Amino acid sequence: MRRPLIALTEVGKTFDPGGAAAPALLPGSLSIAEGEFVVFLGPSGCGKTTLLRMIGGLLEPTSGTIAIAGTPLWEGRRCRKELRSRLGLVFQDSSLFPWLTVEENVLLPLDLRARLPRAERLPYARAMLALAGAADIGARMPHEISGGMCQRVAIARALSYDPDVLLMDEPFAALDAISREALNMELQRLWLATGKTIILVTHSMAEAAFLADRIVLFTPGPGRIDSVIDVPFPRPRTRDLTYSPEFQRTVHDLHDRLAGLMGRP
Ligand SMILES: Nc1ncnc2c1ncn2[C@@H]1O[C@H](COP(=O)(O)OP(=O)(O)O)[C@@H](O)[C@H]1O
Ligand SMILES: [Mg+2]
């Protein structure tokens, strides 16, 4: 049994306490093991981003506790910095600095942190780019590379902190279907190679079934964690798997459950 790395206990969020707005996320609990690949799946507005941001230390919960390796992430209203640095974030928009080269974008956090000696930073940045499948484009500007490449660079930048956990909020949602499929394959490879814990948010049922060890289903109105589903397909998962009846059945089941949660046939 793998050690629990992230423990959520009755974590909830209301943006407007005392106001009339419904909670963004009703209190819910979840434990995520070290090295696990967990996918948050649900329709828009059900609180996936809100929960991911709370786990990432960007947003304070209004109820409950989040612990990383047994230590509370939030200390009163402040996020513990030493824990925050164990969490790497990747968003839908790669948010690269357009005036810096690819390499400089990955180097920047290394320079700001200055944990590595200066001479080691560039080789390290290049290794992270290679790990994310973006070798040999270090000298390019972000506008010169594709959206898929930008997301690889964003992943390399998040990896450059050497976080224990990668938190990814719909990282491939803006990409075309073929690029998205390629990046899902790459992400599985990266996860197998690094042993990082990954939480990925998506509303794609096929993406969830392909990537996840466990899928956390969210339900809207107001948002809450509904259930957790094990995905037992062996690794590495291949494109052929996605054509198999078992895979199709899993996607079908996810669809039926989500449609049921949303009150639709
Ligand atoms: N900063 C905010 N202020 C007020 N309401 C918010 C804020 N961020 C999100 N919400 C609301 O919280 C709910 C959940 O949003 P979100 O976590 O973004 O959902 P998802 O990522 O699943 O689409 C939505 O109703 C949304 O409008
Ligand atoms: Mg979202």
Side-chain angles (χ1 to χ4, degrees), residues 237-256:
R237 297 176 184 167
T238 61
R239 183 169 304 120
D240 281 348
L241 169 73
T242 65
Y243 302 133
S244 71
E246 308 84 72
F247 187 87
Q248 298 290 338
R249 199 174 313 118
T250 300
V251 174
H252 211 115
D253 286 349
L254 287 171
H255 178 274
D256 288 351

Side-chain angles (χ1 to χ4, degrees), residues 225-241:
I225 293 177
D226 176 78
S227 48
V228 181
I229 298 159
D230 285 310
V231 185
F233 302 124
R235 310 271 187 179
R237 297 176 184 167
T238 61
R239 183 169 304 120
D240 281 348
L241 169 73

Side-chain angles (χ1 to χ4, degrees), residues 53 101 162 236:
R53 289 171 62 85
T101 65
D162 194 25

Side-chain angles (χ1 to χ4, degrees), residues 3 61 114 196:
R3 284 192 296 154
K196 303 272 183 212

Side-chain angles (χ1 to χ4, degrees), residues 5-22:
L5 182 60
I6 302 171
L8 310 178
T9 310
E10 293 301 307
V11 176
K13 180 73 185 177
T14 303
F15 281 101
D16 179 25

Side-chain angles (χ1 to χ4, degrees), residues 39-93:
V39 170
F40 289 176
L41 176 68
S44 288
C46 62
K48 306 181 297 294
T49 294
T50 299
L51 184 56
L52 199 77
R53 289 171 62 85
M54 289 194 287
I55 298 170
L58 301 177
L59 189 65
E60 186 195 357
T62 26
S63 69
T65 56
I66 299 172
I68 310 290
T71 307
L73 178 62
W74 291 89
E75 190 180 24
R77 306 212 55 183
R78 284 202 15 249
C79 169
R80 276 181 218 265
K81 249 181 146 178
E82 75 277 14
L83 291 182
R84 172 68 191 78
S85 65
R86 298 177 68 169
L87 310 163
L89 291 142
V90 180
F91 301 101
Q92 179 174 341
D93 157 17

